Amino acid sequence: MIKWEGREWRLQLMSTLYQVLVVIHIFSAILGMGPGFILMTVVKGSKTMTELRHSHAIRHSLHIFVMIGGTLLLITGLIMGSINLNLFKMGWYVTSLGLFLAALAMGPLVLSPRSKPIKALLHSHQGDDIPEEYNRLSKELFRYESLENIIFLIIIALMILKPF
């Protein structure tokens, strides 16, 4: 039987907790960010309004994974920072956190206002032809989603490389 003395058991417990958080953090990135990179692709091949509506329903289902994964990423990243306060002194961590918060803010501030007219159009449009208005609206939305994907790629690179 192992006898835990002094602070040693607490340090071991914190080390184990930290390792579990790292695993959750990595899986959250895969399950949350992975689908986020294909959200635009899902709808781009649609040729009819029926296909487009179905594609947007799939896109919505995938977005749920993105939201859950993103929330877990933020929570686990902040808990790891609270366990290892030195992370807040590392440029890659602080930059990643700032970029992640900026990308998170893009949802309600930039993406949602641009997706609402698309949702309304999908709901109200009669016929199976895709209106030109959809192409214009989606092009603008996808431009911002591409920017957000670039931000996430930068965050991933910072997490892997830890350059500063």
Side-chain angles (χ1 to χ4, degrees):
M1 183 154 114
I2 299 174
K3 190 173 183 182
W4 298 99
E5 307 238 353
R7 287 182 23 160
E8 184 180 316
W9 71 271
R10 281 186 234 127
L11 292 174
Q12 182 62 39
L13 178 65
M14 293 308 276
S15 176
T16 302
L17 175 62
Y18 193 88
Q19 290 170 351
V20 168
L21 288 169
V22 168
V23 170
I24 294 170
H25 194 73
I26 291 169
F27 276 105
S28 298
I30 294 166
L31 295 172
M33 294 177 112
F37 289 116
I38 64 160
L39 289 177
M40 290 179 284
T41 309
V42 170
V43 297
K44 283 190 174 182
S46 300
K47 304 283 187 239
T48 66
M49 209 51 189
T50 302
E51 290 176 5
L52 191 59
R53 286 184 181 111
H54 182 68
S55 297
H56 272 274
I58 293 170
R59 179 180 156 94
H60 176 72
S61 296
L62 290 172
H63 189 255
I64 292 169
F65 285 98
V66 173
M67 290 188 306
I68 293 169
T71 301
L72 281 172
L73 278 170
L74 182 61
I75 291 168
T76 55
L78 289 173
I79 293 173
M80 287 187 290
S82 70
I83 291 172
N84 180 5
L85 293 174
N86 285 330
L87 286 175
F88 287 102
K89 297 175 184 173
M90 298 183 184
W92 65 267
Y93 179 84
V94 174
T95 304
S96 295
L97 183 58
L99 287 171
F100 191 85
L101 293 174
L104 195 62
M106 282 181 70
L109 298 175
V110 178
L111 301 177
S112 184
R114 284 163 180 81
S115 64
K116 284 181 183 176
I118 292 172
K119 290 177 185 175
L121 182 70
L122 292 172
H123 181 73
S124 67
H125 182 73
Q126 300 297 316
D128 216 25
D129 62 308
I130 298 175
E132 188 56 41
E133 179 71 2
Y134 170 80
N135 294 327
R136 185 186 65 75
L137 292 170
S138 65
K139 187 175 184 179
E140 182 182 5
L141 174 65
F142 294 164
R143 186 170 49 246
Y144 287 105
E145 285 185 4
S146 294
L147 173 63
E148 190 168 48
N149 285 343
I150 290 168
I151 291 170
F152 286 133
L153 287 172
I154 292 169
I155 292 169
I156 291 168
L158 288 170
M159 292 282 160
I160 294 169
L161 302 173
K162 299 173 177 52
F164 51 93

